[in-house]
Amino acid sequence: MYTIKLFLVIAPLVISSRIDQDYSSLDSIPPEPKSRFAMLDDVKILANGLLQLGHGLKDFVHKTKGQINDIFQKLNIFDQSFYALSLQTNEIKEEEKELRRTTSKLQVKNEEVKNMSLELNSKLESLLEEKSLLQQKVKYLEEQLTKLIKNQPEIQEHPEVTSLKTFVEQQDNSIKDLLQTMEEQYRQLNQQHSQIKEIENQLRRTGIQESTENSLSSKPRAPRTTPSFHLNETKDVEHDGSSWILIQRRIDGSQNFNETWQNYKYGFGRLDGEFWLGLEKIYSIVKRSNYILRIELEDWKDNKHYIEYSFHLGNHETNYTLHLVEITGNVPNALPEHKDLVFSTWDHKAKGQLNCLESYSGGWWWHDVCGGDNPNGKYNKPRSKTKPERRRGICWKSQNGRLYTIKSTKMLIHPIDSESFELRQIKKPMN
């Protein structure tokens, strides 16, 4: 730009000097040699100005090309960012649609459960009224019977009184069954409410994100899924020619087992990968009859070990207390026998128990001391880690006190029958 301005200043001066020389030639004709030299000077000045102008234009063109290239690069970056944001927005929109569909289904189920609860409440109220009337009648008849017995000790009980007592007992049993059914319905209803609340929170979060990006395009995408357990889901596996129920599996560390008490109670993970079936579901299965607990371990040298127990599992009021009696196995220094092992997590510790979760991760059954056996600990690779870190992971403590990190674990349960129990009592440990 400076060169152009210089040329614009020099060019008029050269032209005006030329014009002045032309007019002066009309008045007086200068000597011929002087005029020729003047013209050559003018041409040199003009040529020099044009040369500087050419250099200036060349620099200007180079600078302009560099600026244009920068602009194109920024436009490409912007296009890429815009495209990525549009894909993310499409994902969020598709997830929101799926969440809305799931919410609508849960709401329908919730309404069904509410209607069932109302019906049960009405039936229960009618039964309670009938029970109250029958109790009054029975009380009156018992008073009359007492008077009769006092007056005639040898008289037998009236058949009508006996039938009424039997009927009242039957009504009591029916009411107890209905109460248990209602408790189960209320528990399911609470679970439905929790799921709906969680989905509503997710919808609110996705709605906030969508409001900031609602101007972008929309392409469909498969929604992400959050694994959850239903009450009728179990995983059966074949072992020794019989069917076992798989209640825990660790294979690759894809599932975080440092979960809350609520998740350990109702289960988490995926049945085709790593999972915990849930304490409540395990209890509902084993309370029907006697079961065997089998724990299978595989270390990082591909050595496989196992141990089997007969066991008893308490309900949630006992913090799912576990009582074990070893049957067979080749795992040394396994879980303590003939002791009450209380299940604890980082957010739920039974009264009087040590806080083992300060040194160990994951939920597990503990006693008055924190042992070194924890199949629900953090998944560690074979070369990790210092001793405290190994203690927090999946490990098993040998008789000499050495901690061994475990690559995979399984926990299975199976009903006890007399024949299989006797075979296990005499069975030799597997290598």
Side-chain angles (χ1 to χ4, degrees):
M1 293 299 292
Y2 175 77
T3 306
I4 295 172
K5 291 179 180 180
L6 181 61
F7 174 73
L8 293 175
V9 172
I10 295 172
L13 293 175
V14 174
I15 294 170
S16 62
S17 65
R18 181 64 182 159
I19 293 171
D20 291 339
Q21 289 175 3
D22 290 339
Y23 280 116
S24 63
S25 64
L26 296 175
D27 297 333
S28 63
I29 299 173
E32 187 174 353
K34 185 177 181 181
S35 175
R36 289 178 181 175
F37 289 134
M39 291 177 65
L40 289 173
D41 293 337
D42 294 340
V43 170
K44 288 181 179 179
I45 292 172
L46 182 60
N48 189 26
L50 291 172
L51 182 61
Q52 292 181 357
L53 176 61
H55 286 301
L57 289 173
K58 184 178 180 181
D59 295 338
F60 178 73
V61 168
H62 283 302
K63 290 180 180 178
T64 305
K65 283 184 179 179
Q67 293 174 354
I68 291 172
N69 289 332
D70 291 340
I71 291 171
F72 274 120
Q73 290 177 359
K74 291 178 180 178
L75 286 174
N76 288 331
I77 294 171
F78 175 77
D79 290 339
Q80 293 174 0
S81 301
F82 186 84
Y83 180 72
L85 286 174
S86 65
L87 292 178
Q88 292 178 2
T89 302
N90 296 335
E91 293 175 1
I92 292 171
K93 287 183 178 179
E94 191 62 29
E95 288 177 359
E96 182 184 3
K97 290 180 182 178
E98 184 65 23
L99 287 172
R100 290 186 186 279
R101 286 194 292 268
T102 306
T103 303
S104 62
K105 292 179 182 178
L106 289 174
Q107 288 176 346
V108 171
K109 291 182 180 180
N110 191 20
E111 291 297 327
E112 293 177 357
V113 173
K114 283 184 178 179
N115 294 331
M116 292 175 64
S117 298
L118 292 174
E119 292 177 2
L120 289 172
N121 278 331
S122 61
K123 290 180 180 180
L124 181 62
E125 290 176 356
S126 62
L127 287 172
L128 288 173
E129 290 177 358
E130 291 179 4
K131 179 183 177 181
S132 177
L133 293 174
L134 288 172
Q135 285 177 340
Q136 291 177 2
K137 290 181 180 180
V138 170
K139 185 177 180 180
Y140 172 75
L141 290 173
E142 285 179 347
E143 291 176 355
Q144 296 296 323
L145 182 62
T146 303
K147 292 179 181 178
L148 288 173
I149 290 174
K150 288 180 179 179
N151 295 330
Q152 300 177 355
E154 296 180 357
I155 193 169
Q156 295 181 352
E157 189 178 41
H158 198 278
E160 184 178 357
V161 175
T162 304
S163 62
L164 280 173
K165 287 184 176 180
T166 304
F167 179 73
V168 170
E169 291 177 355
Q170 292 175 351
Q171 290 293 328
D172 285 337
N173 293 330
S174 299
I175 290 171
K176 290 178 180 178
D177 293 338
L178 281 172
L179 286 172
Q180 291 178 354
T181 305
M182 285 187 63
E183 289 178 356
E184 181 67 21
Q185 292 290 338
Y186 279 126
R187 189 176 65 81
Q188 294 180 3
L189 183 62
N190 289 331
Q191 290 179 356
Q192 295 284 349
H193 279 307
S194 299
Q195 292 178 357
I196 291 173
K197 187 175 180 181
E198 181 179 356
I199 290 174
E200 287 177 350
N201 292 332
Q202 293 180 3
L203 284 173
R204 279 196 291 270
R205 290 195 294 269
T206 55
I208 293 171
Q209 293 177 354
E210 184 183 8
S211 64
T212 60
E213 300 173 353
N214 56 7
S215 62
L216 302 178
S217 60
S218 61
K219 286 186 180 180
R221 175 191 174 270
R224 298 180 188 135
T225 57
T226 302
S228 59
F229 275 18
H230 300 288
L231 291 175
N232 59 351
E233 288 182 344
T234 56
K235 180 75 172 179
D236 294 342
V237 296
E238 290 291 329
H239 178 73
D240 289 343
S242 59
S243 179
W244 290 68
I245 299 174
L246 192 61
I247 64 173
Q248 184 258 29
R249 178 164 56 195
R250 306 291 301 278
I251 51 177
D252 55 11
S254 58
Q255 173 66 44
N256 179 20
F257 268 66
N258 196 24
E259 288 285 356
T260 62
W261 171 263
Q262 193 74 3
N263 287 342
Y264 267 102
K265 184 177 181 180
Y266 294 110
F268 56 86
R270 300 182 65 90
L271 289 174
D272 57 353
E274 294 194 333
F275 74 95
W276 173 260
L277 186 62
L279 293 165
E280 188 63 28
K281 189 171 183 181
I282 298 170
Y283 172 73
S284 67
I285 295 172
V286 302
K287 72 178 181 180
R288 303 169 189 167
S289 62
N290 295 324
Y291 274 73
I292 295 172
L293 171 65
R294 179 183 176 93
I295 301 176
E296 297 181 357
L297 307 172
E298 182 178 1
D299 61 26
W300 290 95
K301 295 181 179 179
D302 297 330
N303 298 318
K304 295 182 179 180
H305 309 274
Y306 82 100
I307 191 165
E308 292 182 0
Y309 299 95
S310 63
F311 72 100
H312 175 268
L313 183 67
N315 59 16
H316 68 95
E317 294 179 353
T318 67
N319 292 307
Y320 301 99
T321 298
L322 183 66
H323 194 86
L324 299 171
V325 177
E326 183 177 349
I327 300 175
T328 183
N330 60 2
V331 179
N333 196 27
L335 296 172
E337 297 183 73
H338 308 292
K339 293 183 179 180
D340 292 332
L341 309 178
V342 180
F343 201 92
S344 298
T345 61
W346 62 266
D347 64 336
H348 181 91
K349 182 171 70 72
K351 186 177 180 180
Q353 293 294 315
L354 297 175
N355 191 3
C356 296
L357 275 303
E358 289 181 354
S359 302
Y360 298 81
S361 64
W364 191 242
W365 284 283
W366 309 104
H367 188 50
D368 52 356
V369 293
C370 300
D373 310 324
N374 184 10
N376 286 345
K378 181 181 178 182
Y379 194 90
N380 287 331
K381 297 298 181 181
R383 297 184 179 172
S384 51
K385 325 291 187 209
T386 61
K387 187 174 181 180
E389 289 176 332
R390 291 199 304 270
R391 186 185 295 116
R392 290 180 58 86
I394 308 177
C395 61
W396 208 269
K397 193 173 183 180
S398 66
Q399 288 180 333
N400 59 11
R402 183 177 178 183
L403 285 176
Y404 291 94
T405 57
I406 302 300
K407 181 171 70 173
S408 65
T409 68
K410 287 182 182 178
M411 296 177 64
L412 311 96
I413 56 174
H414 179 69
I416 293 179
D417 56 79
S418 59
E419 181 178 354
S420 64
F421 184 77
E422 291 174 359
L423 287 174
R424 280 177 166 77
Q425 291 284 9
I426 64 174
K427 189 176 181 182
K428 294 181 180 180
M430 294 187 304
N431 293 324

